[in-house]
Amino acid sequence: MTRTKKTVPVALITGGAKRIGKAIAIRLANRGYAIALHYHSSKAEASATARRIRQRQGHCELFCCDLSDPAAVCSLIKSVLKTFSRLDILINNASVFKPGPLKDARVSELDRSYAIHLRAPYILMQEFASLQKRGQIINILDTKISQNAVTHVPYLLFKKALADLTRLAAVELAPAFRVNGVCPGPILAPEGKISDYLKNAARTVPLQKSGSPEDICDAVEMLIDHNYMTGQLLFEDGGAHLL
Ligand SMILES: NC(=O)c1ccc[n+]([C@@H]2O[C@H](COP(=O)([O-])OP(=O)(O)OC[C@H]3O[C@@H](n4cnc5c(N)ncnc54)[C@H](OP(=O)(O)O)[C@@H]3O)[C@@H](O)[C@H]2O)c1
C-alpha cells in the first residue's frame, strides 16, 4: 500500500509498463504525480518502470488488468482509488496495433480492437467521472484518424471512434473534467518490426523524421497545463495529418 499524502495528485496510465506509456508515467512522476501504472502481460517491465520512478523518490503502484475483460476494467478505477484515495488524470494509452484490411481482418480482431480501443476507455472514463468530482482525461489516438489508410482497419476504426468519444465526453463531462486527445505520428516501430520501419515511415511525414516518446510526453504535458482546453485532438506527428 502506498504512503502518498492525499495532497499528491494521481495519474493512471494504461499500458504504462513500456514504450510510450512508460515515458508518460516517468514524465508525470517527475512532475510530482503519484503513478497508478496499469499493465497486462508485461509484469517485469512494469516492475522495472515502478522501480525507476521510486528510485527518484516518486510514487508508483502497479495495477494488472486485462482490458478486454469488461468486469475487470470496471473495477480498475475503484482499485486505484482504494490505493491512492484520489485520481486526477486518466491516460488511455493501451493499444493493440494489428494489421488487417477489411477483407482479411477476422471478426475476432474487430472485437478485440473494440474492447481495447473503445470499450475499455469508455468504461474507465465513465467510472472516473462518476467516482471523482473533477479531473482530466487524455486519450492517446493516432495521426491516422484523419485519413483512411486501410492497412489496419479494426485498429483505425476504433481509434476514430475514440476520437469522437473524446469530443463527446469533453462536452458531457464539462466543466468538472477536461477531455483531450494526443494523435502521435510514427514514434516507435511495432515490437518485432525491422529497424527500417521507422525510417520508411519518417519519409512520409512533412518534417521528414519520426518522433520520440518524449514528444508525446510534451503533448500530454501541454494538455495538462492548458486549463482552457477541452475536446482538443493534438497532432504530435511531424505534420502527417496534413497529407
Ligand atoms: N508507437 C507509435 O509509433 C504510435 C503511433 C501512433 C499512435 N500510437 C499510439 O500511442 C499509444 C502507445 O503506443 P505504443 O506503441 O507504446 O503501444 P503498444 O506498445 O502497442 O501497447 C501499449 C500497451 O498496451 C497494453 N495492452 C495491449 N492489450 C492489452 C489488454 N488486453 N489489456 C491490457 N493492456 C493491454 C500492453 O500492455 P502489456 O505489455 O502490459 O500487456 C502494451 O504494452 C497507443 O495508443 C498507440 O495506438 C503509437
Side-chain angles (χ1 to χ4, degrees):
M1 181 69 76
T2 186
R3 271 182 253 122
T4 54
K5 291 192 193 121
K6 269 197 167 182
T7 49
V8 176
V10 178
L12 166 62
I13 298 112
T14 68
K18 53 192 182 181
R19 294 166 58 85
I20 293 173
K22 169 185 173 181
I24 296 171
I26 290 171
R27 179 74 71 94
L28 294 189
N30 289 343
R31 272 183 70 122
Y33 285 85
I35 303 300
L37 192 89
H38 159 268
Y39 71 98
H40 178 223
S41 55
S42 301
K43 187 173 183 185
E45 289 92 337
S47 300
T49 302
R51 251 194 323 276
R52 186 162 157 189
I53 289 171
R54 290 175 193 139
Q55 273 161 2
R56 297 179 192 178
Q57 317 311 320
H59 298 278
C60 183
E61 297 294 331
L62 300 182
F63 297 84
C64 182
C65 172
D66 179 358
L67 295 179
S68 66
D69 173 355
V73 179
C74 253
S75 58
L76 180 57
I77 300 283
K78 287 188 194 83
S79 302
V80 171
L81 291 174
K82 204 169 159 202
T83 300
F84 287 105
S85 310
R86 65 184 280 178
L87 179 61
D88 299 82
I89 300 183
L90 162 65
I91 305 208
N92 283 307
N93 166 78
S95 179
V96 178
F97 188 61
K98 184 104 195 284
L102 171 61
K103 281 187 186 163
D104 295 347
R106 290 169 183 266
V107 171
S108 59
E109 191 48 42
L110 185 80
D111 290 344
R112 182 163 73 139
S113 182
Y114 160 67
I116 304 299
H117 299 122
L118 188 63
R119 187 177 64 196
Y122 184 101
I123 296 170
L124 293 174
M125 289 161 75
Q126 194 174 52
E127 285 289 295
F128 184 22
S130 63
L131 295 172
Q132 292 290 272
K133 288 197 176 75
R134 63 187 70 81
Q136 287 191 59
I137 296 163
I138 298 177
N139 293 323
I140 309 297
L141 304 164
D142 192 306
T143 185
K144 294 194 180 77
I145 60 163
S146 61
Q147 297 143 359
N148 293 297
V150 293
T151 52
H152 297 71
V153 169
Y155 167 85
L156 189 56
L157 180 61
F158 292 109
K159 284 286 186 183
K160 283 174 182 263
L162 183 57
D164 277 344
L165 179 61
T166 301
R167 287 185 281 234
L168 285 166
V171 174
E172 183 182 331
L173 304 182
F177 289 79
R178 292 196 293 117
V179 188
N180 291 293
V182 175
C183 306
I187 305 293
L188 296 174
E191 285 185 302
K193 281 275 177 191
I194 46 154
S195 57
D196 275 356
Y197 179 95
L198 267 190
K199 241 189 247 166
N200 294 337
R203 285 198 199 101
T204 67
V205 168
L207 290 186
Q208 293 281 296
K209 59 182 181 183
S210 54
S212 70
E214 294 309 314
D215 290 321
I216 303 308
C217 295
D218 291 344
V220 166
E221 282 202 290
M222 183 181 160
L223 291 169
I224 290 172
D225 288 338
H226 283 64
N227 287 319
Y228 203 45
M229 262 191 190
T230 197
Q232 285 296 325
L233 306 182
L234 200 54
F235 287 82
E236 189 75 22
D237 68 346
H241 68 287
L242 300 168
L243 301 177

